[in-house]
């Protein structure tokens, strides 16, 4: 079953549709509370674990009380503190009947403090979606008590381990004596904008229902949730498919269905040829990283099209001895427009092109990019060897038919520097653009902060406007298609926040394009495998520090193995 990403209103509409279809709000609450209880039961031993439930006045509090009831029935020691909720409430009474101790937190804040000092888990079920005002008063006091106790018990800060799944045992570690489990989302997180109230208590695990909320995937909300689990609340699949959602989450099952097929009778030509064009004196390693990833994607042949100075630096590296080489004309290490003649002859032999890793931002190199993409450009004047300035006539683009192409790094900066509209000149649905937020800001003429605050909407808008697939990198990378479809990666890990990992992603997507995947599918699978490789590395070394881009490229084989196993199940 597909998992979607919802705004607050979309989620409410989905619940209304489910209720109308016969799956009542009460049933959804039972599913939700049961899901929270199952997660806790899978990760903590009942006989040794004391739980404090903080239950607010709405459905979120009801979910928490249902969880309290199930946990008490399973043998956990459970105490529930009610805020703005009557102890005679039906859900509260059902919980009490199973042995849950109930107290009004407004009347006994000291009891809450004592309970937290002995607890192993706090279930935050105070407020769910729809927060619209600052947290003050008693609620702020409650959260402050929890936050202070949480901080007191923390001996170290573990790496964020984020995975959207219904099987949390696969990836979640319990590092602290007092862990916070948030119901749907932590109290104080805006489910649409990602804004976080200063009173918010960071959650070790967030059990969100039906699908992630848009705000959970944005900064700063993403920084206060370590593990996010999507729980099924029984909404029929046909109801979910009929309702509007903002994006689809890339699950392991989805990514596995998109993997390119491998014929037993295949050869290197069967699995595609990739050309990586990039490199300069200052950035010789970038095209090499892209090539390593393209080779590990399963592509049959990878060629590095680089200046000879870059080739001499890269060729001896063990991981690149599998590649072939194409020397491109350059000026002091910067690829120049003369390279067009070489590429005109060579490109028809390739199934995919990756353009940009390590190109640099030399004027001649930008002119080369523009001309290769069919954009008319004027080559800037250059000083000759004896001091005279040599003028160049306008550079007419060569009639080159490009294979499906990834535009990354300085190829994107070249587009941003082009002084006319470039999108109408590119064949539609033929390119994958892979900007990080800074590059996206330059392409769109906005500030990076605007990009980060509007990631899903902006990626979708520009993919439709440019008629190309857009991969907006970052925590929970967004992939948008020309037809308006949007997917979101489930990964947010500092392991990938290091130089060169973007080059790895570009090469990986290029390798998948070469194997015949359409641009949107190649981008979705590539982003998932890239994130999974980073995640596996973090699990293997138990740290998010000290991991290199070369490590990520090498671990793509492990990620592919994991995904292939899923596909075979």
């Amino acid at each position: 079953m597909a998992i979607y990403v919802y705004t607050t209103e979309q989620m409410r509409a989905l619940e209304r549709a489910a209720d109308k279809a016969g799956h009542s709000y009460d049933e959804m609450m039972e599913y939700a509370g049961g899901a929270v209880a199952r997660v806790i039961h899978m990760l903590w031993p009942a006989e040794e674990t004391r739980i404090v439930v903080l239950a607010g006045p709405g459905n979120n509090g009801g979910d928490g009380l249902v969880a309290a009831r199930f946990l008490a029935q399973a043998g956990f020691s459970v105490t529930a503190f009610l805020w703005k909720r009557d102890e005679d409430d039906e859900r509260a009474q059902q919980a009490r009947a199973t042995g849950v101790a109930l107290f009004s937190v407004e009347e006994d804040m000291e009891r809450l403090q004592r309970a937290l000092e002995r607890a192993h888990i706090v279930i935050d079920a105070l407020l769910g979606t729809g927060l619209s005002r600052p947290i003050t008063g008693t609620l702020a006091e409650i959260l402050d008590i929890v936050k202070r106790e949480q901080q007191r018990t923390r001996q170290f800060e573990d790496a964020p381990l984020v995975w959207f799944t219904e099987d949390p045992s696969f990836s979640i570690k319990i590092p602290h004596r007092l862990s916070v489990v948030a119901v749907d989302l932590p109290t104080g997180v805006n489910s649409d904008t990602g804004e976080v109230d200063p009173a918010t208590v960071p959650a070790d695990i967030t059990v969100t229902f039906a699908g992630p909320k848009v705000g959970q995937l944005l900064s700063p909300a993403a920084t206060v949730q370590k593990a996010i689990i999507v729980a099924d609340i029984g909404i029929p699949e046909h109801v979910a498919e009929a309702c509007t959602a903002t994006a689809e989450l890339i699950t392991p099952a989805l990514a596995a269905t998109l993997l390119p097929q491998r014929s037993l009778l295949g050869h290197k030509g069967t699995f595609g040829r990739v050309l990586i064009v990039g490199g300069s004196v200052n950035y010789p390693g970038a095209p090499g990283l892209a090539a390593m990833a393209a080779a590990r994607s399963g592509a049959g042949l990878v060629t590095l099209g680089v200046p000879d100075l870059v080739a001499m630096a890269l060729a001896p590296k063990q991981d690149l001895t599998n590649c072939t080489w194409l020397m491109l004309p350059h000026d002091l290490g910067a690829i120049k427009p003369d390279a067009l003649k070489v590429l005109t002859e060579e490109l028809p032999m390739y199934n995919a092109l990756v353009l940009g890793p390590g190109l640099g931002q030399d004027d001649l190199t930008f002119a080369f990019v523009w001309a290769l993409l069919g954009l008319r450009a004027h080559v800037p004047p250059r000083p000759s060897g004896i001091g005279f300035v040599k003028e160049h006539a306008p550079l007419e683009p060569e009639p080159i038919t490009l294979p499906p192409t990834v535009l990354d790094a300085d190829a994107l900066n070249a587009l941003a520097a082009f002084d006319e509209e470039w999108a109408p000149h590119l064949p539609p649905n033929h390119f994958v653009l892979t900007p990080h937020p800074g590059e996206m800001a330059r392409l769109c003429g906005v500030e990076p902060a605007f990009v980060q605050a509007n990631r899903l909407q902006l990626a979708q808008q520009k993919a439709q406007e440019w008629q190309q697939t857009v991969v907006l990198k970052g925590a929970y990378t967004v992939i948008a298609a020309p037809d308006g479809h949007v997917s979101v990666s489930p990964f947010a890990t500092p392991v990938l926040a290091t130089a060169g990992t973007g080059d790895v992603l570009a090469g990986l997507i290029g390798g998948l394009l070469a194997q015949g995947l359409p641009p949107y599918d190649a981008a979705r699978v590539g982003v998932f495998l890239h994130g999974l490789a980073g995640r596996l590395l973090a699990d293997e070394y138990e740290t998010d520090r000290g991991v290199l881009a070369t490590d990520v490229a090498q671990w793509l084989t492990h990620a592919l193995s994991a995904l292939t196993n899923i596909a075979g199940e």
Side-chain angles (χ1 to χ4, degrees):
M1 179 176 176
I3 295 177
Y4 298 102
V5 180
Y6 299 99
T7 64
T8 302
E9 185 48 47
Q10 287 168 348
M11 188 64 213
R12 288 171 177 163
L14 176 63
E15 290 172 341
R16 288 194 297 269
D19 181 64
K20 186 176 180 181
H23 187 60
S24 70
Y25 284 97
D26 281 347
E27 290 175 301
M28 285 184 272
M29 187 175 289
E30 288 292 308
Y31 270 88
V36 174
R38 281 194 303 276
V39 168
I40 291 172
H41 202 181
M42 290 174 70
L43 296 171
W44 281 272
E47 64 278 2
E48 302 172 11
T49 305
R50 292 182 292 273
I51 300 173
V52 169
V53 178
L54 303 174
N59 289 339
N60 196 250
D63 297 337
L65 288 170
V66 170
R69 186 181 85 230
F70 282 125
L71 289 166
Q73 289 172 334
F76 288 85
S77 173
V78 185
T79 303
F81 289 87
L82 309 182
W83 171 69
K84 288 191 175 182
R85 194 178 193 105
D86 197 319
E87 291 185 35
D88 293 330
D89 170 272
E90 179 184 2
R91 297 295 181 185
Q93 287 304 307
Q94 290 173 344
R96 174 174 278 159
T98 60
V100 176
L102 288 178
F103 300 96
S104 171
V105 70
E106 290 102 332
E107 297 175 5
D108 203 344
M109 204 76 78
E110 291 184 6
R111 186 186 293 272
L112 172 61
Q113 176 68 61
R114 293 194 300 272
L116 290 172
E117 290 172 358
R118 301 175 61 250
H120 300 94
I121 302 169
V122 178
I123 296 178
D124 173 6
L126 290 163
L127 292 178
T129 58
L131 178 74
S132 59
R133 65 185 67 180
I135 293 174
T136 59
T138 303
L139 181 56
E141 291 181 44
I142 295 169
L143 294 173
D144 183 61
I145 291 172
V146 177
K147 187 181 292 186
R148 283 190 281 109
E149 187 62 23
Q150 178 191 59
Q151 292 170 348
R152 188 183 69 80
T153 63
R154 301 294 157 106
Q155 301 302 312
F156 62 93
E157 185 62 33
D158 64 316
L161 299 177
V162 182
W163 184 257
F164 293 83
T165 177
E166 295 178 357
D167 179 14
S169 61
F170 176 75
S171 59
I172 296 172
K173 299 179 181 179
I174 305 302
H176 307 305
R177 195 272 287 163
L178 183 65
S179 295
V180 177
V181 177
V183 175
D184 208 16
L185 73 170
T187 295
V189 168
N190 187 299
S191 52
D192 287 329
T193 68
E195 294 177 11
V196 176
D197 193 278
T200 296
V201 178
D204 296 290
I205 298 172
T206 299
V207 183
T208 198
F209 306 128
K213 313 310 175 283
V214 169
Q216 289 179 287
L217 309 182
L218 301 176
S219 180
T223 67
V224 297
Q225 304 166 98
K226 288 184 178 176
I228 301 177
I229 300 166
V230 176
D232 178 17
I233 55 172
I235 295 176
E237 187 170 357
H238 72 275
V239 173
E241 294 288 347
C243 288
T244 300
T246 296
E248 183 175 5
L249 192 73
I250 309 174
T251 63
L254 172 60
T257 64
L258 299 175
L259 281 175
Q261 298 299 307
R262 306 285 290 181
S263 170
L264 292 176
L265 303 178
H267 51 79
K268 65 183 179 183
T270 306
F271 301 125
R273 299 167 180 255
V274 188
L275 177 61
I276 315 287
V277 174
S280 58
V281 170
N282 291 332
Y283 309 103
L289 290 167
M292 289 171 61
R296 282 181 169 78
S297 75
L301 177 72
V302 179
T303 299
L304 277 155
V306 295
D308 54 14
L309 295 173
V310 174
M312 287 188 288
L314 292 179
K317 297 187 178 298
Q318 181 177 357
D319 285 320
L320 299 179
T321 55
N322 306 287
C323 299
T324 60
W325 301 84
L326 179 64
M327 300 302 119
L328 297 180
H330 65 93
D331 184 3
L332 299 177
I335 296 175
K336 60 181 182 178
D338 293 349
L340 291 170
K341 297 176 183 178
V342 179
L343 292 174
T344 300
E345 298 176 1
E346 296 290 334
L347 273 171
M349 295 186 288
Y350 290 91
N351 306 101
L353 169 67
V354 178
L355 177 64
L359 267 179
Q361 300 187 33
D362 186 271
D363 290 341
L364 282 178
T365 301
F366 274 12
F368 155 72
V369 172
W370 296 333
L372 182 63
L373 297 178
L375 307 175
R376 188 175 186 274
H378 191 281
V379 179
R382 306 281 289 185
S384 70
I386 57 174
F388 296 102
V389 173
K390 182 180 180 181
E391 295 284 350
H392 292 269
L395 182 65
E396 295 294 342
E398 295 282 342
I400 301 176
T401 299
L402 300 180
T405 299
V406 179
L407 297 179
D408 184 51
D410 286 323
L412 298 172
N413 289 326
L415 286 182
F418 193 66
D419 58 6
E420 299 176 26
E421 289 290 326
W422 50 266
H425 299 282
L426 303 185
N429 199 25
H430 196 73
F431 294 82
V432 178
L433 282 65
T434 57
H436 58 56
E439 292 161 346
M440 188 69 168
R442 289 189 284 276
L443 285 167
C444 301
V446 298
E447 293 298 317
F450 180 84
V451 174
Q452 290 295 73
N454 299 276
R455 288 173 58 79
L456 278 76
Q457 303 94 317
L458 187 62
Q460 181 184 48
Q461 174 194 337
K462 291 304 179 181
Q464 291 178 292
E465 179 183 325
W466 298 333
Q467 280 298 288
Q468 308 297 344
T469 297
V470 173
V471 176
L472 180 52
K473 295 183 290 195
Y476 310 119
T477 291
V478 179
I479 307 97
D483 64 1
H485 283 87
V486 180
S487 293
V488 179
S489 164
F491 298 103
T493 171
V495 166
L496 300 177
T498 188
T501 56
D503 304 310
V504 171
L505 177 60
L508 176 57
I509 295 173
L512 294 165
L513 285 173
Q515 294 172 71
L517 289 188
Y520 183 53
D521 288 347
R524 290 195 289 174
V525 176
V527 165
F528 186 89
L529 286 169
H530 186 250
L532 181 57
R535 176 56 187 277
L536 293 173
L537 277 164
D539 285 350
E540 174 71 13
Y541 295 114
E542 297 187 347
T543 181
D544 60 352
R545 304 172 191 271
V547 175
L548 306 178
T550 48
D551 300 327
V552 177
Q554 290 164 356
W555 274 66
L556 290 174
T557 305
H558 297 278
L560 273 164
S561 174
L563 203 55
T564 302
N565 289 336
I566 292 171
E569 291 178 355

